[in-house]
Amino acid sequence: MSYETVEYAERPSRVAGAVLWTRTAGGSDAPVYPVLPDGCMDLLWSGGRLLVAGPDTRAYRPEPDGAARYVGIRFYPGTAPAFLGVPAHELRDRRVDLADLWPSAEARRLTERMDAAGDPAAVLESVALARADGAGPPDPLLAHVVKALDAGRSIASTAAEAGINARLLHRRSLAAFGYGPKTLARVLRLQRALALARSGLAFAETAVVSGFADQAHLARDVKELTGMPLGELLSPRPH
């Protein structure tokens, strides 16, 4: 089977903690890869549409739509709800038109700016910067939660260090991340494991270093969260 070329690039955004990315497909036959859970939310533009990608609890498999160019901004976990004005749990495992979240006239004007722009990535970033400034600085508690769970800390110790109880941590997590701290910890652990495995570390060692009980535990979690075996997930992709 032959495939068209897919080019992907990203860079740190001027929005704190965010990443600005572009994806260009060489044609309608370009392969479509699953989007894996990462704790983040994205605002993306493609083919005259502005969409919000909510936090995923499982791999999202886009339907081929023939669009040749995508531009997006990926927000650091917990920061997008303040930007969007919507609790994250309302967008969990969903892709939603921006016009369903913002006033339709505002969303339409932004879409028209993106469609007419020679550099839509710059327009998207400028809008994100303006909205982020209006939303104020990120909640430091949420950054603490992400860093603690990503370091493998328990939910109980994460809550205690933040000065809140586990029930409040769960409620704050739903609004900020789209799911509770247990799911966030699983997603962050998945991303740690994938990064280690892609670096060439053996699967058994990857499991231990990233916080799994053993390689079998790693394999089960990867399959549950991505729908694919780890070896297949890491196999070279055709271009």
Side-chain angles (χ1 to χ4, degrees):
M1 179 180 291
S2 63
Y3 291 94
E4 298 289 344
T5 300
V6 176
E7 295 181 0
Y8 175 85
E10 64 178 42
R11 66 165 175 81
S13 171
R14 289 180 291 157
V15 178
V19 171
L20 194 67
W21 59 267
T22 59
R23 180 182 183 273
T24 304
S28 59
D29 293 332
V32 178
Y33 298 115
V35 178
L36 304 183
D38 60 5
C40 300
M41 296 172 61
D42 292 61
L43 175 62
L44 59 103
W45 169 85
S46 174
R49 293 182 69 193
L50 275 167
L51 298 169
V52 174
D56 293 320
T57 60
R58 58 186 180 272
Y60 172 76
R61 289 170 171 77
E63 294 292 332
D65 58 10
R69 188 180 188 189
Y70 297 82
V71 173
I73 185 163
R74 181 178 307 117
F75 294 93
Y76 186 77
T79 61
F83 170 85
L84 296 169
V86 180
H89 63 81
E90 294 186 10
L91 303 174
R92 182 174 56 236
D93 293 320
R94 298 177 63 198
R95 300 311 187 256
V96 179
D97 281 293
L98 185 64
D100 293 337
L101 306 178
W102 290 5
S104 57
E106 183 179 358
R108 183 175 63 252
R109 285 195 297 270
L110 177 54
T111 303
E112 291 171 352
R113 282 181 62 192
M114 295 289 295
D115 292 345
D119 186 356
V123 173
L124 189 65
E125 186 173 38
S126 68
V127 170
L129 276 169
R131 292 279 299 198
D133 288 344
D139 185 344
L141 181 143
L142 301 177
H144 162 76
V145 170
V146 175
K147 291 177 181 177
L149 295 177
D150 196 28
R153 305 295 290 274
S154 71
I155 294 170
S157 64
T158 298
E161 291 171 5
I164 58 178
N165 61 40
R167 182 175 296 179
L168 181 55
L169 173 61
H170 185 81
R171 187 161 65 245
R172 294 285 297 272
S173 295
L174 286 177
F177 309 117
Y179 32 63
K182 182 177 180 179
T183 298
L184 177 61
R186 286 187 75 201
V187 167
L188 295 175
R189 185 175 61 184
L190 168 72
Q191 289 295 328
R192 291 198 304 274
L194 292 177
L196 289 169
R198 285 174 178 141
S199 74
L201 197 66
F203 290 175
E205 191 171 355
T206 290
V208 173
V209 174
S210 53
F212 292 89
D214 51 30
Q215 186 174 338
H217 182 200
L218 166 65
R220 287 195 304 272
D221 238 39
V222 168
K223 187 68 181 293
E224 288 177 11
L225 290 169
T226 72
M228 300 170 66
L230 182 58
E232 181 181 342
L233 193 63
L234 298 176
S235 62
R237 293 173 174 178
H239 291 284

